[in-house]
Amino acid sequence: MRFVVIADTHANPSDDGELSPFASHRQTNSRLEHAIREVNRLKPDFVVHVGDMVHPVPDAKRYPDAVAAFREAMAALHAPLHVVAGNHDSGDKHADYVPAGVVNPHHLELYQSHFGEYFYAFEHEGCLQVVLHTSLINSGLPAEAEQRRWVEETLAQSQHRRRFLFIHYPPFIAEPDEPGHYDNIDQPGRDWLVELIRRHNFDAVFTGHVHNFFCHRIGNTPVYLLPSTGFVRADYAEVLAAPQPASHENGRNDIAKLAILCVDVKEDRIVPQLLRLYPDTGLDEPVPLHRQAPQRDWPALAPAAGWLHLLGLDLRHDWTRVHHIPFSSMLDEFQRKAARNDYPVMALWELGIRHLRVPLQDLQSAAARERLELLAHHGCRFRVFVFGVPDACAQALLQRHRHLLSGLEVVLPLPMTSAARHTLAEIKQELRLPLTLSRFWNAAATNREDRQVKLLVDHGFTPAAFNDYDPALADVLEVADTLVFRVPQASDVVSEMQACFDAATQLRKRAQVHVRLADDSPALARNDEWWNLRRVLLAAAAAASNPEHEVFLDTLNDVDRGYFPRVGLVDSLYNPRRSGSALRTLHGLLCEEGACSSPPRWLRHDEGDVVSIARARGTLHLFLPKQELEPWQLPLPPDLQAEQIRATFHLIHGH
C-alpha cells in the first residue's frame, strides 16, 4: 500500500496574515492547496495529517473559521484523510513554560466537534495505523488514562503484520534523555511512550510539530519528524552553517524545506520518500519517485535496486554532530535545546544514493555510529577509509560493525612493507569484506621562478601507473580486491573514467573511481553549476555503463570555505543544487520506468553528449550540451520530436 503523511499546515481563517508577524504566514493556505495537488498526484490509499491543521489555538475567536478554511482545502483531496490532534488544534502539553493554553476538557470537546476522535486506530491492507494525542501525555486528565489503557489493549490484541504510529509531539529531538522543552514530550510520559514503541516494535513512527526534518530510531523503529507544508521553524536554522538569504525570513521561509512524506509499504520493507513541495515557484513538473529501494541484504543488490546503486558520495562534512540551539525568547527562553542537522540524510534519501564513503573516525564515535545504524536500516552501506594499516583496536572495531560496511579502504605510501602486506591479508580474511587499496602521494613542489609552494595531499592511482612493471605495485595487486583511481578536474570525465575501468579490468580487479568536482588548485573556486551538473550526470551515466565497478563523487554538499571550494549536489543550507536536482530526477525516472535492459549508449560530438538509456518501457535520451542551451537549440536526433525533448529538458533542468 501507499500512504502520504503531511504535517503542520497551519491553515489561517483568511489570507490577511493578522495572526502572525511573518509575511510567509499569509501563504500557508495557498501552500496547503499546492500540497494537496502533489498528494493527489501520488495516488495514495490514504493520507494522515500529524497535527496542527490550523494556526489559531482553540481559545482564539477565529479558530472555527480556520477549521472551515482547512476543510475547504482538504475537500480537493482524492484519498481518505485521517488526522492527529496537534497543540494548535486542541491545546499545548501540560508544562509551565508553554506559551499557549494547555489541553483541557473544553478543548477536547471542541476538537471532537470539528475533527472527531483524538485517539483511535484504523486498518488497511492488513496494517494497523495507531493515532495518539500527545498533548494528553502528562496532563493528568481522565482522557490520558483512557488513552493509555486503550492503546495498550489495542496493541496487545493486534495480530497485524505491520503497525504504524502517528503522533504530533515527538518523544525527543536529539537524545532520549534530553531535558524537556517546547518541542518534546516531558517525563515521565516520554519514558512510557518510548517503551511502548520499543516493546511493540512499530514499523515506523511519524511526528510533526518541529517544522523541520529530523530522524532517529527507538529500538528497531525509525522515527520521522516531518517538515511543514507552510513554513519552517526558524530556530532550527541554527544547525546550518550558512547565512540565510533575506527572502528566507531568517530561515522561516526556506521553501526548499517544505515537504511531504510518501511511504510505500512493500512485502519486505517500507520505502519512505520525502518530496520537496517548492511552492510559489510556478514549477509544476512532477518529481518521479524511486519506486525501488535497496534490499536489506546489501550489498547483494539486484539491478532493480536502482540504476545508480553503486554510485557513491563522500560525506566530507560532519553530518552527525549535535548542535545547541540558542534560547530565543520565542518558544524556549530558559535553556538551549539540542538538535542534529539531518538534512544530509534527507538529501541522500532524495537522491536515492546509498553508497557512502566516510573516515574511520565516524565508526569510532558512538554518536556517529548511531547515525550509521540509522542509514544502514534504510539500505545504506559505508566504505570506511583509513590512512595506514589499521591497528588492533581499529581492527576489532571494524569486525564488530562489519554489518555497516561495504568494504575497507586503506591508503598507503608505497612500497608497502612485508609486515603491512601480511596484516592487510589477515584483516581481509577476518572481515570477509572487499579490501580497497590506494596509493598516497603529495605534491610539495616549489616553483623556483615565482616561489609558489604547493602543499597538497591526495591519493589514488592513475591508469598509466600500471603500464610498466613496478615491484611496489605487485604487492598491492597481491592483496587488494579493489584499486582507487583518481579522475582530476581537468580531465574529460567520460574518457578518463573508462580508462580507469579498463585498467582495473585488465588487472582482474575492481575499480573504485573518485571523480573530482573541485578545481585542481586549492585557491580556485569551481562554482559553475552547469559544469557541475554536466560532470555529475556524465559520471553517473559512465558508472551505469560499468556496473562491476564503483564511482564516488567527491562531495555531497558545497565546500564554501577553506580549500578547494566548489559546489556540490546540495548547497550549504542542504537545499538541492541543479546537479543534485537533475541526478535525483534522472534516478527517479529510471527507477520509475523499470530497470535498464542494457548499458547506456553514447553519442559524443562537438556540442556535447547524448546518452541513450534503454528501459523496460522505451528509451530515455539524456542530452548534455557543453554550453547551457534552451531546448530548441539542442542538436536533436531526427527520430525524436521537439516537444518530447522540451518536456524532458525542463523536467531535468528544473527542480
Side-chain angles (χ1 to χ4, degrees):
M1 68 179 185
R2 166 177 289 179
F3 61 89
V4 169
V5 189
I6 62 176
D8 295 274
T9 53
H10 284 257
N12 284 311
S14 67
D15 294 335
D16 56 22
E18 64 180 19
L19 299 176
S20 171
F22 297 99
S24 58
H25 195 77
R26 291 192 289 272
Q27 298 173 284
T28 56
N29 288 9
S30 63
R31 289 176 177 181
L32 171 57
E33 293 168 0
H34 174 75
I36 295 308
R37 289 193 293 271
E38 289 297 296
V39 171
N40 285 339
R41 183 181 62 79
L42 297 170
K43 299 179 181 179
D45 295 89
F46 59 87
V47 175
V48 181
H49 191 309
V50 289
D52 282 2
M53 279 81 76
V54 300
H55 186 70
V57 293
D59 289 331
K61 291 182 179 180
R62 302 198 68 185
Y63 176 86
D65 297 332
V67 173
F70 175 79
R71 291 282 184 205
E72 182 179 356
M74 300 309 290
L77 182 66
H78 297 164
L81 174 67
H82 305 273
V83 298
V84 178
N87 56 305
H88 276 255
D89 308 315
S90 63
D92 278 354
K93 65 179 184 177
H94 273 248
D96 294 337
Y97 52 80
V98 296
V102 299
V103 66
N104 58 52
H106 170 66
H107 290 167
L108 293 175
E109 291 177 7
L110 185 65
Y111 179 89
Q112 283 183 302
S113 69
H114 287 293
F115 295 107
E117 296 302 320
Y118 42 82
F119 61 84
Y120 60 96
F122 64 97
E123 298 184 38
H124 189 84
E125 296 291 344
C127 301
L128 181 70
Q129 285 69 231
V130 177
V131 173
L132 295 181
H133 189 349
T134 44
S135 289
L136 287 177
I137 297 173
N138 297 317
S139 70
L141 296 173
E144 178 186 9
E146 183 183 351
Q147 174 177 254
R148 183 177 292 202
R149 181 172 56 253
W150 169 84
V151 72
E152 294 281 10
E153 291 176 356
T154 298
L155 292 172
Q157 296 170 7
S158 168
Q159 301 298 318
H160 297 84
R161 199 160 49 87
R162 293 278 174 76
R163 293 187 281 196
F164 300 97
L165 178 63
F166 302 88
I167 55 181
H168 183 65
Y169 283 104
F172 54 89
I173 302 296
E175 305 293 346
D177 58 352
E178 68 191 19
H181 53 68
Y182 180 75
D183 291 331
N184 61 19
I185 297 174
D186 297 302
Q187 297 291 16
R190 184 194 305 171
D191 280 350
W192 167 77
L193 182 59
V194 167
E195 178 57 28
L196 182 83
I197 295 168
R198 194 185 306 275
R199 181 159 32 96
H200 291 284
N201 201 28
F202 287 90
D203 284 79
V205 177
F206 305 95
T207 88
H209 187 65
V210 293
H211 294 233
N212 282 268
F213 173 71
F214 300 106
C215 59
H216 49 73
R217 289 200 309 164
I218 295 175
N220 293 319
T221 298
V223 181
Y224 303 103
L225 287 62
L226 300 189
S228 164
T229 65
F231 60 90
V232 184
R233 283 273 302 280
D235 46 349
Y236 287 108
E238 290 286 349
V239 305
L240 304 169
Q244 293 283 342
S247 62
H248 283 194
E249 288 183 339
N250 301 315
R252 184 182 176 93
N253 197 37
D254 185 354
I255 62 171
K257 291 185 171 61
L258 306 179
I260 57 178
L261 184 71
C262 179
V263 182
D264 285 324
V265 182
K266 299 179 179 290
E267 287 295 326
D268 59 338
R269 65 201 186 281
I270 67 168
V271 183
Q273 288 187 250
L274 280 151
L275 300 176
R276 300 180 196 257
L277 293 171
Y278 290 101
D280 319 322
T281 61
L283 295 173
D284 295 325
E285 296 283 7
V287 176
L289 292 168
H290 303 140
R291 295 186 186 274
Q292 301 292 337
Q295 304 281 347
R296 296 289 176 82
D297 58 348
W298 205 101
L301 292 165
W307 185 62
L308 302 178
H309 65 278
L310 285 180
L311 179 68
L313 281 170
D314 278 355
L315 295 184
R316 289 181 176 264
H317 293 73
D318 183 1
W319 59 286
T320 66
R321 183 163 66 94
V322 174
H323 302 258
H324 291 90
I325 309 300
F327 46 93
S328 66
S329 298
M330 180 69 177
L331 300 171
D332 285 287
E333 171 61 2
F334 307 109
Q335 63 177 319
R336 301 182 188 93
K337 57 189 175 188
R340 291 184 182 87
N341 175 15
D342 279 338
Y343 284 106
V345 177
M346 178 173 171
L348 291 169
W349 289 355
E350 205 176 17
L351 289 163
I353 290 180
R354 301 292 188 267
H355 198 32
L356 307 169
R357 184 172 174 270
V358 297
L360 179 65
Q361 69 192 103
D362 280 10
L363 203 62
Q364 292 169 327
S365 161
R369 283 199 304 272
E370 188 273 334
R371 298 281 94 186
L372 298 179
E373 291 279 3
L374 175 77
L375 288 185
H377 183 83
H378 290 276
C380 293
R381 289 298 181 273
F382 299 88
R383 179 62 44 85
V384 169
F385 65 89
V386 60
F387 179 78
V389 178
D391 61 21
C393 290
Q395 292 176 40
L397 185 71
L398 291 164
Q399 185 63 43
R400 283 198 303 274
H401 302 288
R402 65 179 302 276
H403 63 286
L404 301 173
L405 310 181
S406 63
L408 172 66
E409 176 188 329
V410 179
V411 183
L412 287 173
L414 295 184
M416 74 171 75
T417 65
S418 58
R421 185 177 66 251
H422 177 73
T423 303
L424 288 174
E426 288 185 337
I427 292 173
K428 175 180 169 181
Q429 184 175 4
E430 290 179 6
L431 280 181
R432 300 187 306 280
L433 287 172
L435 176 64
T436 301
L437 289 186
S438 182
R439 181 175 195 163
F440 168 78
W441 64 271
N442 63 56
T446 302
N447 185 311
R448 296 177 182 273
E449 189 170 317
D450 59 14
R451 299 185 181 277
Q452 186 181 69
V453 178
K454 297 180 180 179
L455 301 175
L456 306 179
V457 173
D458 211 331
H459 69 101
F461 297 101
T462 63
F466 297 93
N467 289 342
D468 299 315
Y469 176 76
D470 183 343
L473 297 179
D475 290 340
V476 170
L477 296 175
E478 180 182 333
V479 71
D481 300 297
T482 305
L483 301 172
V484 170
F485 291 88
R486 297 171 61 255
V487 176
Q489 172 268 328
S491 64
D492 176 80
V493 65
V494 175
S495 58
E496 188 70 15
M497 287 176 67
Q498 192 59 53
C500 297
F501 298 144
D502 292 343
T505 300
Q506 290 175 6
L507 296 166
R508 298 183 180 179
K509 301 293 180 183
R510 203 176 193 186
Q512 179 178 308
V513 179
H514 294 186
V515 176
R516 192 175 182 86
L517 303 181
D519 196 274
D520 293 331
S521 167
L524 297 180
R526 173 57 70 174
N527 293 327
D528 183 341
E529 284 209 60
W530 180 259
W531 180 92
N532 205 57
L533 181 154
R534 188 173 184 276
R535 190 170 179 85
V536 164
L537 293 190
L538 286 172
S545 300
N546 297 269
E548 66 275 18
H549 301 291
E550 299 170 320
V551 176
F552 283 93
L553 303 174
D554 80 352
T555 186
L556 168 64
N557 52 301
D558 285 1
V559 178
D560 63 359
R561 64 204 73 186
Y563 304 114
F564 298 104
R566 72 276 204 183
V567 294
L569 303 184
V570 298
D571 63 22
S572 296
L573 296 175
Y574 290 88
N575 295 331
R577 288 284 190 185
R578 294 173 68 182
S579 54
S581 295
L583 183 62
R584 183 251 179 273
T585 304
L586 178 62
H587 195 181
L589 277 172
L590 292 164
C591 289
E592 189 174 56
E593 297 295 336
C596 302
S597 57
S598 61
R601 292 184 295 106
W602 293 81
L603 174 63
R604 312 206 74 194
H605 50 77
D606 292 341
E607 291 84 4
D609 294 79
V610 181
V611 185
S612 298
I613 305 162
R615 302 165 298 170
R617 290 184 288 172
T619 300
L620 185 143
H621 301 277
L622 176 63
F623 292 82
L624 290 167
K626 291 181 179 178
Q627 303 297 324
E628 188 167 4
L629 302 172
E630 293 298 333
W632 53 86
Q633 297 174 308
L634 291 169
L636 302 182
D639 58 332
L640 292 176
Q641 298 296 317
E643 286 302 317
Q644 292 177 292
I645 303 303
R646 184 173 291 110
T648 303
F649 181 88
H650 280 299
L651 180 60
I652 301 293
H653 188 262
H655 70 83

